[in-house]
């Protein structure tokens, strides 16, 4: 009886020591918690401002361990109605910033830093060339959440020599 009381006290003290510190400020990853959920998009990729290639996809986004990470899986539909797993992304807080690592079906791994300001989430990174080296072209992405949180606008540009070429202007909808 006495041993079980000691064990209970030790377990209670250990769990209290491991509990999150509620006095700490929220981590940056918390600012994009609105992304958690299931999303769908039915749009087109753009070239010279014109619709050129259809994109129909779904995105399953969940919290990772301890609400310290966000994990996103993107599935793209083929023209025959089947789908494939295109991207697996992991977002985290690191050194006071939101970072993301993306794993693509072709084996490409890319990393970026994101800024979250109000309804916007933005990132920009260098696009690798065919040889895997920096190409001098930047990929700029912007997500703009709607006020009611049921959708977000997704805009993507390629930036080369200071010129913007928009390749996406679509809207993801909460499923």
């Amino acid at each position: 009886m006495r041993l079980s009381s000691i064990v209970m006290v030790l377990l209670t003290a250990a769990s209290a020591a491991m509990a999150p510190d509620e006095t700490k400020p929220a981590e940056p990853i918390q600012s994009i918690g609105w992304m958690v959920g299931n999303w769908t998009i039915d749009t087109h990729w753009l070239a010279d401002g014109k619709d050129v290639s259809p994109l129909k996809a779904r995105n399953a986004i969940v919290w990772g361990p301890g609400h310290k990470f966000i994990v996103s899986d993107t599935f793209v539909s083929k023209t025959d109605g089947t789908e494939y797993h295109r991207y697996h992304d992991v977002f985290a807080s690191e050194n006071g910033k939101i970072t993301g690592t993306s794993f693509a079906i072709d084996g490409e791994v890319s990393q970026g830093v994101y800024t979250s300001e109000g309804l916007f989430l933005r990132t920009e990174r260098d696009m690798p060339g065919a040889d895997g080296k920096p190409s001098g072209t930047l990929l700029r992405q912007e997500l703009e959440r709607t006020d009611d949180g049921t959708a977000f606008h997704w805009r993507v540009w390629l930036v080369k020599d200071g010129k913007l070429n928009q390749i996406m202007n679509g809207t993801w909808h909460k499923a």
Side-chain angles (χ1 to χ4, degrees):
M1 183 77 156
R2 188 177 233 179
L3 182 58
S4 65
S5 296
I6 292 171
V7 170
M8 288 303 291
V9 167
L10 289 174
L11 287 174
T12 301
S15 70
M18 291 188 287
D21 181 357
E22 301 299 327
T23 62
K24 282 180 147 180
E27 294 194 32
I29 196 71
Q30 304 300 318
S31 70
I32 63 169
W34 59 267
M35 294 175 62
V36 171
N38 294 303
W39 302 86
T40 60
I41 192 168
D42 192 350
T43 191
H44 287 83
W45 289 101
L46 304 172
D48 298 319
K50 297 181 177 105
D51 293 347
V52 292
S53 179
L55 173 65
K56 186 173 184 178
R58 67 183 178 89
N59 205 330
I61 304 175
V62 298
W63 282 109
H67 282 217
K68 302 287 185 190
F69 306 92
I70 290 179
V71 180
S72 170
D73 288 294
T74 304
F75 301 88
V76 176
S77 296
K78 297 180 184 178
T79 54
D80 66 5
T82 61
E83 65 179 21
Y84 65 98
H85 191 180
R86 176 81 181 145
Y87 298 106
H88 177 79
D89 301 291
V90 179
F91 299 90
S93 295
E94 185 177 358
N95 299 323
K97 297 181 179 180
I98 299 168
T99 61
T101 303
S102 183
F103 305 90
I105 192 172
D106 63 2
E108 180 186 344
V109 177
S110 58
Q111 297 178 317
V113 176
Y114 294 77
T115 57
S116 178
E117 300 169 5
L119 299 176
F120 290 90
L121 178 65
R122 296 181 175 106
T123 188
E124 188 172 279
R125 68 174 178 86
D126 190 61
M127 294 287 296
D131 59 2
K133 295 179 182 174
S135 67
T137 298
L138 298 175
L139 177 72
R140 178 181 295 168
Q141 295 193 65
E142 174 180 273
L143 306 179
E144 180 185 7
R145 178 176 46 107
T146 58
D147 286 331
D148 65 3
T150 62
F152 64 89
H153 306 294
W154 177 40
R155 292 179 279 272
V156 182
W157 298 267
L158 296 176
V159 184
K160 178 85 172 177
D161 299 325
K163 295 179 183 169
L164 293 173
N165 176 22
Q166 189 167 19
I167 60 171
M168 173 55 64
N169 186 10
T171 301
W172 288 87
H173 298 276
K174 201 153 206 168

